[in-house]
């Protein structure tokens, strides 16, 4: 059985963004602009944190799915491809997390 991946989700978002009309929630989010998409992402982040703090596994899974979806919509709204984020992560795998974090301090 094939697994649904984050790339599948990104492709679905791309397809729905390209489709017009009132039937696409993705299209409606994008039409409201990147700032709105960022706010939605923030709301989902807070809901994910609450689910984690409450130790509610099912709720955390559901909110995590919402968070990933809204993150990809936000990237789309700003013209950033998932592959660009993956490339940034790839660069970071060559050093420890502590080294990477220290390298970002300006």
């Amino acid at each position: 059985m094939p697994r649904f991946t984050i790339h599948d989700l990104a492709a679905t978002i791309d397809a729905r963004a390209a489709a017009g009309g009132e039937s696409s929630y993705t299209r409606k989010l994008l039409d409201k602009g990147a700032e709105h998409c960022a706010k939605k992402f923030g709301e989902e982040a807070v809901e994910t944190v609450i689910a984690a703090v409450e130790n509610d596994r099912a709720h955390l899974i559901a909110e995590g799915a919402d968070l990933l979806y809204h993150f990809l919509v936000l990237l789309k709204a700003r013209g950033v491809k998932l592959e660009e984020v993956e490339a940034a992560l790839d660069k970071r795998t060559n050093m420890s997390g502590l080294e990477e974090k220290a390298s970002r301090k300006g």
Side-chain angles (χ1 to χ4, degrees):
M1 174 169 78
R3 289 184 58 187
F4 185 82
T5 70
I6 196 162
H7 287 275
D8 296 328
L9 179 57
T12 298
I13 289 167
D14 286 344
R16 291 184 179 165
E22 293 293 311
S23 62
S24 171
Y25 178 62
T26 301
R27 182 72 261 158
K28 286 181 181 183
L29 286 170
L30 292 168
D31 286 345
K32 290 182 180 179
E35 293 81 9
H36 178 78
C37 294
K39 288 177 186 175
K40 285 298 295 178
F41 175 69
E43 290 170 15
E44 295 303 334
V46 169
E47 291 171 6
T48 302
V49 168
I50 291 168
V53 169
E54 292 177 348
N55 198 24
D56 185 335
R57 181 180 170 79
H59 192 207
L60 178 58
I61 291 168
E63 292 300 339
D66 289 347
L67 183 68
L68 288 174
Y69 165 78
H70 282 282
F71 177 60
L72 293 178
V73 170
L74 176 57
L75 292 180
K76 179 79 175 169
R78 285 294 187 207
V80 176
K81 296 189 179 300
L82 176 58
E83 291 80 5
E84 294 175 274
V85 175
E86 289 175 323
L89 288 169
D90 184 53
K91 286 181 186 176
R92 294 177 185 184
T93 61
N94 296 323
M95 62 179 80
S96 79
L98 294 174
E99 290 172 323
E100 189 282 325
K101 189 168 183 156
S103 75
R104 287 190 272 155
K105 292 181 180 175

